[in-house]
Amino acid sequence: MDDAYNPHIILDKWMKVWDLRGSFEASSLTGTDDGRDRSYVVSMLPYPSGDLHMGHAEVYSISDAMARYLRLRGADVLNAIGWDSFGLPAENAALKRGLHPRTWTYENIEVQAESFRRMGISFDWRTRLHTSDPEYYRWNQWLFLRLREHGLAYRKEAAVNWCSTDQTVLANEQVVDGKCERCGTVVIQRALTQWFFKTTAYAQRLLDDMAELEGKWPDDILAMQRNWIGRSEGAHVDFAVEGRAEPLRVFTTRPDTLFGATFMVAAVDSAIAEDLCAPENRESFEAYKTSVASATDIDRLATNRPKTGVPLGRYAINPVNGERIPIYASDYVLADYGTGVIMAVPAHDQRDADFAVTLGLPVREVIVPAEAGEPGVLWSGPGTLVSSGAYDGHDSVEAGTAIVAELEAAGRGCATVNYRLRDWLLSRQRFWGTPIPIVHCPACGEVPVPDEQLPVVLPEDGYELKPTDGRSPLATAEAWVAVDCPACGGPASRDTDTMDTFVDSSWYFLRYPNPDYTDGPFDPAGIARWLPIDEYIGGKEHATGHLMYARFMTKALHDLGLLPFVEPFTRLTNQGQVVMDGKAMSKSLGNLVNLQEQIGLYGPDAVRVTMVFAGPPEDDIDWADVSPAGAVKWLGRVWRLAGDLPPAADGELVASELRREVHRLVADTTTLMDAKRLNVAIAQLMKLTTVLRRAVDAGQAADPGVREGAQMLVRMLSCFAPFTAEEAWERLGKEASVIDHGWPDADPELVARDTAVCVVQVNGKLRDRLDVPADITDADLQALALGSEKVVQDVGDATVTKVIVRAPKLVNIVVTRS
Ligand code: ANZ
Ligand code: ZN
């Protein structure tokens, strides 16, 4: 046979074969169980900015290997694909190129779809959906209206993150280190009326339901979510305010420090500060407020930031000791956390301490640590109470509980739980998104667009795409904006915001089984058959964004009676990033590796193998350290091996050393695939290739054991290098397609190793007995014996002078003791 492996020649042929046979179609999208295990495998849906890139290649090489493996193991697999096709980059590209965002988006989708096919990704294309299709976003609008009916979508004025470059608001999740996640512009705060989903209503359930995910999601993602939700147990304490009927309520996690509260601080931008401010303090308050207006929440909470603030000219009374303490306004207190007001305990809280220093305020220590802390360092831990009236000498933890009980009895406070999680700000002042299905009527107020008028489609023309200072491009589409009020028929106007694209991606996986469904957002039969997702694969960067939104949406839909489960993703795998020379790939660094170029050079199989073989799925891949050329070599070896076997085997299969080795490698590979240790699994396949090659070179090409091994190798290879596997299968004289032949079963009798009991002596005395493989080598056995815990203990400091090994039965260690 021709000895040159060509990694390109085989592509079209096999794509046609798979298409014709419907090789990757799940048994039924919305029908009943066909008795096989079901496995719904989804990679986070791609965003169509240009062609697929190296990051896509990585995640789909990994997810496709998993999907193909499950399919070979006999599962009914749904490997779904769609596009997250709304969003800002399309608009920016459109502005730059003078194209419609739709044109740019749908062209890119076609390019990506073709690239997926050329990579041999085993999608069931019947799931294909695009979130920018009116048939899809209609259901965003429908879901929005259902959430609104249940009080889970609302509009309010809020200080929001604003990116002046992208001219839009951003969710907290999209602000990284105080900057816009997309363009790096420093984010400022602006007061705007915006739409929110009430994610906070689900804070506790988002936490509690993590119990279901424990051990199935990566621990660090769960930790990040836990942090993001930020549950704090503490208390509300009410302070009376002189000259004001309403008490001032604070949230504190340290009621035990109440006797040390020497002043109070209200968030400068809170309604309460506004309300408290005495007339003679108004001017300085307003001036201060203006001076700090642009700081983001992250800056505001930073401990290393100089503290500033102004007095509000008002005094409060500490409920436990009747002390009169001043009230300040500052930006280190956040308006929308807790109550927006704090009791400051400068002896035990660093930020309060810094503020006290700046403004020359008194500090009173009330907790003494059990052991003297570091001098000059503020003590923020537990201890014994002092200067705390009747609580002096009490343990701080117990005193905290007692103080809350005392306050509660007096009607001045209560234990409470606070969450860091904020409601999800979902409105965007951009064009390429789902229009919010609300009409604003001067007579009726906010009026929902009736279901039968959905979808509210984006205007075709008559608008200005370029955003202008907080005004949505949709607001310029005057003919589109003007509508009759659905309630009273009078003149009204459409809401001109669009939805965050994370709304689109919070539920798309529910629609995959039946993307053409028209009676609701998703087909209940498809849900029953496939959901929740068995294997979800995507990047870590979605830990507190997309993954949180999808979990929230699932719970909300469950509560609306639309879903029978509360968690969307049973198992989660995070893939790492593809980097170059240790740095993230980017145009500006000039270190972008072009995927198509790599595929052009090495073929899709080699690129896929390289992606998976580079390391554990969750690790980053440094493309500078790997070489698809190595993968091409290995694939060529497999291909040649297949061609080097004679058309028929000679004789019957019998137990042989070779077959033992082959079956053990198959068993190991299976275990590794089950544990998702895909890179190590590939290493076993490489070993198997070497074992078989050696046998062929030793003249055993006609041995039926070699043929069996080669077939097993090629069947397993189809998970990672599907084109080469099909081609090799054909060279083995088999009929297409290799993927119909399933995953090989290792014969347990061949895998089992005979074992022996090895006696380990030290200076002739029995110290340990080891169960070892009967065929263990002297060297391995010596290492095992010297590593035995009992031996190590017995030998101690003594010097080993000699080791006598009689594998597999005896090891005698000779030592001299000093
Ligand atoms: C008194 C005190 C004494 C506090 C002490 C801490 C230590 P976590 O754990 O993050 O929930 N706080 C409350 N509301 C705030 C707001 N809107 N902006 C900034 N800080 C706020 O933090 C709760 C603690 O953060 C609360 O407990 C409060 O300060 C402060 F030795 O009250 B503490
Ligand atoms: Zn009306």
Side-chain angles (χ1 to χ4, degrees):
M1 277 197 197
D2 180 3
D3 242 17
Y5 165 69
N6 179 339
H8 305 286
I9 200 162
I10 50 192
L11 306 184
D12 286 330
K13 171 176 159 190
W14 294 115
M15 284 193 282
K16 277 192 202 115
V17 169
W18 296 329
D19 280 349
L20 271 173
R21 302 166 69 94
S23 296
F24 309 129
E25 290 188 359
S27 65
S28 146
L29 291 176
T30 52
T32 46
D33 207 323
D34 75 348
R36 285 184 289 168
D37 276 351
R38 158 216 109 170
S39 201
Y40 185 25
V41 180
V42 181
S43 303
M44 293 178 187
L45 85 177
Y47 183 77
S49 51
D51 199 351
L52 298 182
H53 53 65
M54 296 294 278
H56 290 124
E58 187 197 8
V59 62
Y60 293 100
S61 297
I62 293 168
S63 62
D64 199 47
M66 290 184 185
R68 284 173 174 273
Y69 173 66
L70 293 166
R71 212 180 275 123
L72 292 182
R73 290 298 299 270
D76 187 11
V77 174
L78 179 59
N79 186 13
I81 181 66
W83 274 270
D84 188 15
S85 47
F86 266 143
L88 223 149
E91 254 172 281
N92 291 344
L95 282 170
K96 212 161 96 190
R97 288 159 230 212
L99 289 171
H100 194 281
R102 188 182 293 118
T103 312
W104 184 84
T105 301
Y106 284 85
E107 277 175 14
N108 287 341
I109 290 178
E110 288 313 320
V111 170
Q112 293 196 345
E114 181 54 23
S115 291
F116 277 133
R117 282 174 39 78
R118 301 202 72 79
M119 284 193 72
I121 307 296
S122 67
F123 291 132
D124 186 332
W125 285 94
R126 296 173 300 173
T127 63
R128 178 170 178 169
L129 57 79
H130 315 127
T131 59
S132 55
D133 291 351
E135 296 72 28
Y136 184 88
Y137 70 71
R138 164 187 183 184
W139 299 109
N140 277 340
Q141 295 172 337
W142 187 91
L143 289 170
F144 174 94
L145 294 174
R146 298 295 86 77
L147 291 183
R148 187 172 170 278
E149 283 161 13
H150 287 78
L152 293 172
Y154 67 93
R155 195 164 177 253
K156 72 162 184 205
E157 185 182 300
V160 296
N161 304 307
W162 175 258
C163 171
S164 57
T165 303
D166 287 331
Q167 289 283 320
T168 185
V169 300
L170 302 170
N172 286 348
E173 292 78 358
Q174 292 163 332
V175 181
V176 178
D177 296 333
K179 297 190 183 114
C180 171
E181 172 188 63
R182 278 187 210 289
C183 72
T185 305
V186 172
V187 169
I188 58 166
Q189 301 290 302
R190 272 183 75 153
L192 289 170
T193 302
Q194 299 289 324
W195 287 99
F196 292 84
F197 281 148
K198 205 164 188 171
T199 40
T200 52
Y202 284 84
Q204 191 57 45
R205 282 174 57 192
L206 285 164
L207 266 184
D208 292 344
D209 292 346
M210 270 186 225
E212 268 186 44
L213 309 176
E214 217 69 63
K216 299 178 185 164
W217 279 38
D219 290 339
D220 56 342
I221 301 291
L222 293 177
M224 281 157 90
Q225 292 212 345
R226 219 169 263 123
N227 247 331
W228 190 257
I229 297 166
R231 180 189 154 101
S232 289
E233 282 179 31
H236 278 152
V237 183
D238 293 330
F239 286 66
V241 177
E242 285 181 2
R244 188 175 187 262
E246 277 283 291
L248 197 50
R249 169 164 280 202
V250 305
F251 171 70
T252 178
T253 46
R254 296 295 303 275
D256 53 318
T257 65
L258 193 45
F259 286 84
T262 50
F263 56 97
M264 300 183 80
V265 187
V268 59
D269 50 342
S270 61
I272 194 98
E274 197 67 43
D275 184 59
L276 285 168
C277 184
E280 58 279 19
N281 292 63
R282 177 62 56 183
E283 203 176 313
S284 62
F285 171 68
E286 293 297 344
Y288 174 67
K289 193 170 166 174
T290 316
S291 76
V292 296
S294 71
T296 64
D297 283 8
I298 294 134
D299 288 338
R300 290 172 62 159
L301 284 172
T303 38
N304 56 2
R305 192 162 165 266
K307 299 287 170 290
T308 55
V310 290
L312 288 171
R314 300 291 287 264
Y315 291 83
I317 306 299
N318 187 329
V320 286
N321 57 11
E323 203 168 12
R324 183 174 185 262
I325 58 177
I327 309 174
Y328 290 81
S330 171
D331 70 346
Y332 84 90
V333 173
L334 301 180
D336 60 356
Y337 186 67
T339 62
V341 187
I342 64 159
M343 62 179 220
V345 184
H348 303 292
D349 180 291
Q350 191 59 53
R351 284 172 299 153
D352 297 346
D354 297 340
F355 189 81
V357 169
T358 313
L359 284 110
L361 297 163
V363 177
R364 181 189 309 133
E365 190 184 26
V366 288
I367 310 272
V368 181
E371 276 170 47
E374 252 179 84
V377 177
L378 161 153
W379 180 251
S380 60
T384 306
L385 265 59
V386 294
S387 307
S388 297
Y391 295 98
D392 280 359
H394 287 223
D395 168 76
S396 61
V397 176
E398 285 157 26
T401 313
I403 288 171
V404 173
E406 184 189 321
L407 290 168
E408 202 149 6
R412 286 176 176 166
C414 58
T416 188
V417 173
N418 203 56
Y419 300 90
R420 197 157 289 285
L421 186 73
R422 297 286 75 129
D423 282 341
W424 173 7
L425 197 175
L426 71 106
S427 40
R428 296 291 179 274
Q429 290 69 50
R430 298 303 304 241
F431 175 82
W432 192 234
T434 305
I436 304 242
I438 292 287
V439 167
H440 299 281
C441 168
C444 316
E446 267 174 32
V447 182
V449 173
D451 285 358
E452 57 284 4
Q453 289 175 29
L454 300 180
V456 176
V457 291
L458 286 167
E460 283 295 324
D461 43 35
Y463 57 86
E464 192 65 54
L465 199 54
K466 203 172 162 50
T468 38
D469 199 39
R471 203 159 88 117
S472 167
L474 287 182
T476 66
E478 283 164 27
W480 180 87
V481 171
V483 297
D484 295 339
C485 167
C488 72
S493 47
R494 291 196 185 283
D495 197 290
T496 58
D497 284 346
T498 53
M499 295 183 200
D500 180 4
T501 57
F502 279 114
V503 177
D504 315 1
S505 57
S506 66
W507 66 277
Y508 70 100
F509 45 88
L510 304 172
R511 192 168 170 83
Y512 271 153
N514 188 355
D516 301 320
Y517 192 63
T518 52
D519 294 340
F522 39 80
D523 183 347
I527 298 291
R529 177 76 187 103
W530 292 103
L531 271 293
I533 289 179
D534 297 287
E535 296 281 356
Y536 198 42
I537 301 115
K540 257 191 179 65
E541 67 276 17
H542 295 294
T544 55
H546 163 62
L547 289 171
M548 198 73 110
Y549 298 139
R551 295 186 61 218
F552 158 75
M553 192 59 88
T554 302
K555 290 173 203 309
L557 293 174
H558 169 267
D559 292 358
L560 295 177
L562 294 169
L563 288 179
F565 52 88
V566 294
E567 285 295 336
F569 314 127
T570 306
R571 270 182 303 274
L572 175 70
T573 299
N574 288 134
Q575 91 286 357
Q577 277 189 312
V578 187
V579 301
M580 191 64 189
D581 289 316
K583 291 185 205 83
M585 288 186 192
S586 76
K587 261 194 204 133
S588 56
L589 285 174
N591 64 352
L592 273 182
V593 176
N594 183 296
L595 174 64
Q596 293 310 331
E597 203 176 290
Q598 297 289 307
I599 292 180
L601 283 170
Y602 305 108
D605 278 352
V607 171
R608 291 178 59 144
V609 165
T610 305
M611 290 286 181
V612 183
F613 185 53
E618 60 280 8
D619 283 9
D620 287 351
I621 299 175
D622 197 326
W623 206 249
D625 298 342
V626 299
S627 162
V632 171
K633 256 189 218 151
W634 172 50
L635 295 174
R637 290 176 69 206
V638 177
W639 183 86
R640 272 190 302 279
L641 178 78
D644 286 350
L645 303 192
D650 201 5
E652 296 283 304
L653 271 181
V654 288
S656 66
E657 243 349 277
L658 175 83
R659 288 191 70 217
R660 278 184 212 289
E661 219 172 336
V662 168
H663 282 253
R664 277 171 199 158
L665 282 166
V666 171
D668 288 350
T669 311
T670 309
T671 309
L672 290 162
M673 292 299 285
D674 285 336
K676 293 191 203 134
R677 297 186 59 202
L678 308 182
N679 57 320
V680 197
I682 290 186
Q684 306 311 303
L685 300 190
M686 291 176 172
K687 263 191 221 162
L688 180 52
T689 312
T690 305
V691 166
L692 296 169
R693 180 80 247 169
R694 238 187 254 139
V696 170
D697 290 348
Q700 299 168 31
D703 179 342
V706 171
R707 170 165 301 271
E708 178 197 44
Q711 289 180 6
M712 287 175 144
L713 169 64
V714 170
R715 285 154 75 188
M716 295 189 287
L717 181 69
S718 73
C719 293
F720 307 104
F723 296 104
T724 308
E726 292 286 13
E727 194 72 6
W729 190 246
E730 213 175 56
R731 281 165 71 86
L732 284 169
K734 307 283 287 180
E735 239 167 77
S737 142
V738 62
I739 51 184
D740 296 340
H741 293 264
W743 184 261
D745 288 320
D747 179 344
E749 274 180 33
L750 291 170
V751 173
R753 291 165 201 268
D754 291 335
T755 58
V757 177
C758 173
V759 169
V760 185
Q761 300 173 328
V762 177
N763 288 352
K765 286 200 189 97
L766 176 68
R767 289 297 170 223
D768 204 356
R769 282 177 212 274
L770 303 172
D771 280 327
V772 299
D775 57 353
I776 194 164
T777 63
D778 282 358
D780 286 351
L781 186 56
Q782 171 165 339
L784 263 185
L786 287 172
S788 141
E789 212 170 295
K790 289 176 185 151
V791 170
V792 169
Q793 248 171 35
D794 185 65
V795 172
D797 297 339
T799 317
V800 176
T801 50
K802 198 172 173 190
V803 185
I804 301 152
V805 186
R806 300 274 177 271
K809 295 251 152 84
L810 174 82
V811 176
N812 188 13
I813 301 162
V814 183
V815 302
T816 41
R817 307 193 193 264
S818 45

